[in-house]
Amino acid sequence: MKIQPLAAAQIPRDLLLLADPSWAQVTAYLSTGQCYGYQQDGQVVGVVVLTTLKTGVWEVKNIAVAPAYQHRGIAKALLATAIAVCQAAPTCDELQIGTGNSSLRQLAIYQHAGFEMIAVWVNFFVDNYPDPIYEAGLQCKSMVRLSMSTTGEVAQRVENESFNN
């Protein structure tokens, strides 16, 4: 396993579109974000994109794993890397992530990692995406927002947690 920052030319568009079907949205946050890639078998099979949301608050904008490599702990490793990057950054006090109301597996992963729900942006995906999105037979309509402190007790718990579940 090797997770490292990716240059713009190395970022696999197809992976980013797995987690966010709007290339316009992806392009907008890639222009200010940092992408990290999980490399295996000589190729990038997973990505996570971090951006600055506002002073002291960073956001995971995209986290995706190629279908052939899913359910192997790669998303958890990418999330752990994002958390570690934020913990090491003196300008990051909080890390946020947003996901769809229908993203049940992702919601569980984020909460196990120490994120807590802070808001629901009702109809975010209905209002901001041209086509309906479905996951597990549910329409993805609203964005569930989660947050964690990257300093103090919560960060220490996440740092010590095993991501091999």
Side-chain angles (χ1 to χ4, degrees), residues 13-14 16 21 34 53 62-63 75 79 81-82 91 101 103-104 107-108 110-111 115 124 132 135 137 145 155-156:
R13 177 180 176 156
D14 58 328
L16 294 167
Q34 174 61 58
L53 189 59
N62 190 310
I63 187 165
L79 186 60
T81 296
T91 58
N101 60 279
S103 302
L104 305 178
L107 281 166
Y110 303 152
Q111 290 176 86
F115 286 87
F124 176 85
E135 296 175 294
R145 301 289 302 170
Q156 187 63 41

Side-chain angles (χ1 to χ4, degrees), residues 61-73:
K61 289 296 267 188
N62 190 310
I63 187 165
V65 176
Y69 292 86
Q70 291 177 1
H71 310 294
R72 297 183 188 182

Side-chain angles (χ1 to χ4, degrees), residues 117-140:
M117 291 184 203
I118 57 169
V120 175
W121 294 353
V122 177
N123 288 328
F124 176 85
F125 295 101
V126 173
D127 296 340
N128 292 286
Y129 288 79
D131 298 316
I133 301 168
Y134 289 90
E135 296 175 294
L138 299 171
Q139 185 175 359
C140 182

